[in-house]
Amino acid sequence: MAGHTDLGDFLRRCRAGMPPEVAGIPGYTGQAGRRVRGLRREEVAQLAGVSVDYYTRLEQGRHTSPSEAVLDALGRVFRLDAAARAHLADLARPVRRRSEQPPVQRVRPAVHQMIASMVDQPAFIVGRRTDVLASNTLARALLTDWTRLPPPHRNYTRWVFLDPAAREAFLDWPTVAAEVVGTLRLYAGRYPDDGLLNELVGELTIKSREFRTWWNGHRVHERTHGTKHMVHPSVGPITIQYEALALPGDEDQTLFVYTTAPGSPSHDNLRLLALWATQQDGGTSAPARSASDAGAATDPA
């Protein structure tokens, strides 16, 4: 999936999306007479301090090892944020031999216990490919019950795009969906030989026109914190703030915690949902088991 073809695609998208007036093209006098959207190749080369032939070979996948200085210069020209710069560096790495499938991810028992104890906040663990590795009772009540899905389907991106309930749950669904595609793009650049990731992207590309459009846009997004506007059929609207916390010592595992503003209608609705979820759960707060815990041979989804 990734490689020098993706590097060229990414550079072309960046070039097309950079307005000349923002880039500071010397002598730029307006769009009149321009045949291309965004910057010309020679303009990128000039701003980055490289030859036109060199930059052209980068876009065409004919140059295999751009230096860090060149990548830094391109990041500056295209005004890339930290996530996009990291993605550019991943795509520019030398082509590697096909590696073995990454090992199955497992959530440590202490982490299971931690999120289970968070009875007032939805919490869940996301791994590679946005696989949902574990979740507490309230997260399953607010989003979906991952434990009822087949292990290969326990994936946040797959749920967002293929479950109609997700479109109803997020009032800002297009924003949420586009951002999760950007997150998946980061993983694709980092793990170009991940067969399960390639299968997921292939399935979503076939089944979702929106996914296909956003995926081909090559935008990347790193989820750190933010706000989501949701509605639950049992309790009504809930505006949540989320924090995404990398788990030290557990590579590619991220803890997501949802909270609401104290005293707000959203806070009251989430507390009501927590009460309802506890009753439905029989008074327990057992976390979702990952597919690995259930004996699956592949990563949970």
Side-chain angles (χ1 to χ4, degrees), residues 27-38:
Y28 176 73
T29 58
Q31 192 65 31
R34 295 181 70 90
R35 293 185 177 181
V36 299
R37 181 167 58 93

Side-chain angles (χ1 to χ4, degrees), residues 107-119 125 134 136 285-287:
V107 176
R108 290 182 287 110
V111 178
H112 274 294
Q113 295 169 9
M114 178 182 69
I115 65 172
S117 69
M118 302 169 69
V119 295
I125 309 293
N136 67 5
S285 299

Side-chain angles (χ1 to χ4, degrees), residues 7 35 52 85 148 150 153 155-156 160 179 207-208 215 225 230-231 233-234 300:
L7 173 61
R35 293 185 177 181
V52 177
R85 283 174 179 260
R148 296 181 181 274
H153 291 181
N155 180 277
Y156 186 83
V160 166
E179 288 181 350
K207 294 182 178 180
S208 171
W215 183 259
H225 63 277
M230 306 185 66
V231 61
S234 297

Side-chain angles (χ1 to χ4, degrees), residues 75-159:
R76 183 181 66 254
V77 170
F78 295 135
R79 309 294 176 91
L80 301 182
D81 61 18
R85 283 174 179 260
H87 184 61
L88 175 62
D90 284 336
L91 296 180
R93 286 182 297 178
V95 176
R96 294 156 290 179
R97 292 183 178 180
R98 191 171 187 84
S99 59
E100 296 181 357
Q101 191 67 30
V104 172
Q105 289 184 290
R106 288 181 169 83
V107 176
R108 290 182 287 110
V111 178
H112 274 294
Q113 295 169 9
M114 178 182 69
I115 65 172
S117 69
M118 302 169 69
V119 295
D120 294 325
Q121 295 86 29
F124 56 102
I125 309 293
V126 171
R128 300 188 200 99
R129 319 175 198 100
T130 67
D131 292 340
V132 177
L133 305 178
S135 57
N136 67 5
T137 297
L138 191 49
R140 297 195 295 274
L142 180 63
L143 301 173
T144 192
D145 190 347
W146 311 102
T147 64
R148 296 181 181 274
L149 299 178
H153 291 181
R154 297 174 192 170
N155 180 277
Y156 186 83
T157 306
R158 193 182 192 281
W159 172 70

